[in-house]
Amino acid sequence: MWKGTQGARPREERISVVIPSRMRVSDAWSDVCIRNISSRGMLVAAKTPPELGSCVEIRRGSQIIIARAVWKDGNYCGLRSQEKLPVQQIISEPRLTKKPQVAMAAGDAAADRRNRDRDNAASIVERQERSRRFATVFQFLVFVTMAVGGSIWVATSIYGLLAAPVEAAERALDGKAS
């Protein structure tokens, strides 16, 4: 036995997993991956792990886990849950195909990324339609501008071609008339 573990309780068994999840720290959500889990905590890999002592919310499907960051090392952090975790339910929880409706205070709803219109399929279709209309109008204006410019160029060229013989004829007639 190691010198530092004498008299300490044996560590609870951890189950190695790879479970993509979402983590909320304050008002910011981020993608994380649960790497191992036990009945009282988990090891989480995150791009920006929470500060020590931070309270976090982990969501996996319909499972919501409230925990506190107890250590961090690089992109990994250890979270200790407030309550005993339903480990097998979390592991077997399917990913949701639709985001859950969450009752929030009015202030939280504005900060929650999931409520923004940009994620709404209807708004994506609306943006595509707006973009298509803009492209159609822009294309029409470009063609009209090109047609007007081409017409002016053709008119100027024809005028130049016809003006030279007409001027020569006028000069010739002016010379005979005098």
Side-chain angles (χ1 to χ4, degrees):
M1 211 180 231
W2 292 357
K3 186 177 180 181
T5 60
Q6 292 177 346
R9 288 188 325 202
R11 206 169 101 162
E12 184 179 355
E13 178 189 0
R14 269 99 173 118
I15 300 171
S16 292
V17 293
V18 177
I19 303 174
S21 305
R22 299 280 293 155
M23 177 174 69
R24 181 172 76 154
V25 180
S26 299
D27 288 336
W29 285 92
S30 62
D31 292 321
V32 297
C33 185
I34 301 171
R35 299 307 306 262
N36 75 33
I37 188 167
S38 69
S39 68
R40 285 292 179 183
M42 60 184 69
L43 168 68
V44 174
K47 285 184 181 177
T48 54
E51 293 300 318
L52 295 181
S54 298
C55 188
V56 301
E57 177 181 330
I58 302 286
R59 290 196 179 220
R60 168 63 180 177
S62 63
Q63 299 289 327
I64 300 171
I65 303 158
I66 306 299
R68 184 166 303 282
V70 292
W71 64 266
K72 84 176 190 178
D73 183 19
N75 289 345
Y76 295 97
C77 68
L79 303 177
R80 179 155 179 82
S81 66
Q82 291 178 335
E83 299 174 0
K84 194 168 183 179
L85 298 177
V87 175
Q88 289 307 317
Q89 286 178 342
I90 293 169
I91 292 171
S92 62
E93 180 78 25
R95 286 185 119 173
L96 292 181
T97 57
K98 183 178 161 187
K99 294 178 181 173
Q101 297 298 322
V102 180
M104 293 187 188
D108 288 345
D112 189 2
R113 160 183 85 75
R114 295 172 297 174
N115 288 335
R116 293 187 187 155
D117 285 341
R118 70 174 185 214
D119 291 335
N120 186 348
S123 73
I124 291 172
V125 171
E126 184 179 309
R127 282 188 305 182
Q128 287 175 335
E129 183 62 25
R130 256 192 329 242
S131 179
R132 188 192 63 74
R133 283 192 308 259
F134 173 78
T136 302
V137 169
F138 185 74
Q139 184 179 20
F140 174 77
L141 290 175
V142 167
F143 285 142
V144 166
T145 303
M146 288 174 48
V148 168
S151 298
I152 291 172
W153 179 77
V154 168
T156 305
S157 298
I158 291 175
Y159 177 79
L161 287 174
L162 295 178
V166 171
E167 285 177 11
E170 283 179 356
R171 271 187 265 129
L173 288 176
D174 282 341
K176 289 184 183 179
S178 350

